Amino acid sequence: AELTAADLPQLRALLAEPGCVAAGECGLDYFRDYSPRAAQRTAFALQLALAAECGKPLFLHQREAHADFTAALREHASALQGVAHCFTGGAAELAAYLEMGLHIGITGWICDERRGQQLQSLVPRIPAGRLLLETDGPYLLPRDLQPRPPSRRNEPAFLVHIAATVARLRGETLADCAAHTTAAARRLFGLSAP
């Protein structure tokens, strides 16, 4: 609700920093509605234009705002690339994001026997070059992780658990899944191999 065009020079400078590989997390969240929806749309449009100008991929957030989210992205489609972070949507949302050229970020949500069932059926549809794995730490600790950490805090160390679940659902080896998701992340974010 507070972002204005006057804030863009500061954001532009941050995006120019050598360690900055993406713009975001930015998007629309109509579930929590921490900011008025019109203000969210205005801020998102400013952020999309800035990311396009700077040539940075986007780390995108969308919750219960699919129509407005995709409409905003389509206005800048020719100049944007990015990842639909923490994807938990349905088949139509997945198809729309893939059509727009987005990568799809999968988190520990996929390990949830209750909420993750739909996602479990969709993950095999994500092309290998467009699938990314993420923790969304400190949130979305995989529900089937054993033993459960006492802090219930999700950390990057648990990414291998998410990768194993994704690999199993896709009928891949863990090594193949790790290789293609790592390669996809390196390409999208311009990261060099260690």
Side-chain angles (χ1 to χ4, degrees):
E2 298 170 8
L3 182 69
T4 68
D7 299 311
L8 295 183
Q10 183 180 5
L11 291 176
R12 188 177 290 109
L14 290 171
L15 286 171
E17 290 288 326
C20 180
V21 299
E25 178 175 339
C26 60
L28 301 174
D29 192 323
Y30 292 175
F31 178 75
R32 300 219 186 271
D33 273 334
Y34 287 137
S35 298
R37 293 179 180 186
Q40 289 187 52
R41 289 189 295 272
T42 298
F44 189 38
L46 290 170
Q47 293 163 338
L48 289 172
L50 184 59
E53 171 194 326
C54 295
K56 296 286 184 178
L58 289 147
F59 204 73
L60 295 161
H61 175 96
Q62 184 277 124
R63 195 156 180 204
E64 295 188 16
H66 177 72
D68 287 347
F69 180 76
T70 53
L73 288 173
R74 284 192 174 104
E75 287 183 29
H76 300 274
S78 64
L80 294 179
Q81 56 179 336
V83 57
H85 153 68
C86 191
F87 179 78
T88 58
E93 286 176 295
L94 178 62
Y97 297 160
L98 290 173
E99 177 194 330
M100 287 188 279
L102 294 179
H103 289 65
I104 307 298
I106 301 297
T107 66
W109 185 281
I110 196 138
C111 303
D112 188 319
E113 75 284 355
R114 299 169 302 144
R115 299 183 301 176
Q117 288 181 349
Q118 176 178 264
L119 183 57
Q120 291 169 8
S121 69
L122 293 175
V123 81
R125 298 183 192 182
I126 304 169
R130 305 269 286 290
L131 174 63
L132 301 181
L133 302 177
E134 51 180 306
T135 62
D136 199 25
Y139 310 108
L140 295 177
L141 178 72
R143 281 182 48 89
D144 61 354
L145 186 66
Q146 295 298 325
R148 306 238 345 131
S151 70
R152 302 195 40 86
R153 176 184 168 89
N154 197 4
E155 298 181 7
F158 304 135
L159 194 61
V160 70
H161 182 81
I162 297 165
T165 299
V166 169
R168 178 180 50 79
L169 292 167
R170 291 173 59 86
E172 301 171 334
T173 67
L174 176 57
D176 286 344
C177 182
H180 73 72
T181 56
T182 299
R186 284 190 177 130
R187 277 190 308 276
L188 177 63
F189 298 119
L191 304 171
S192 58

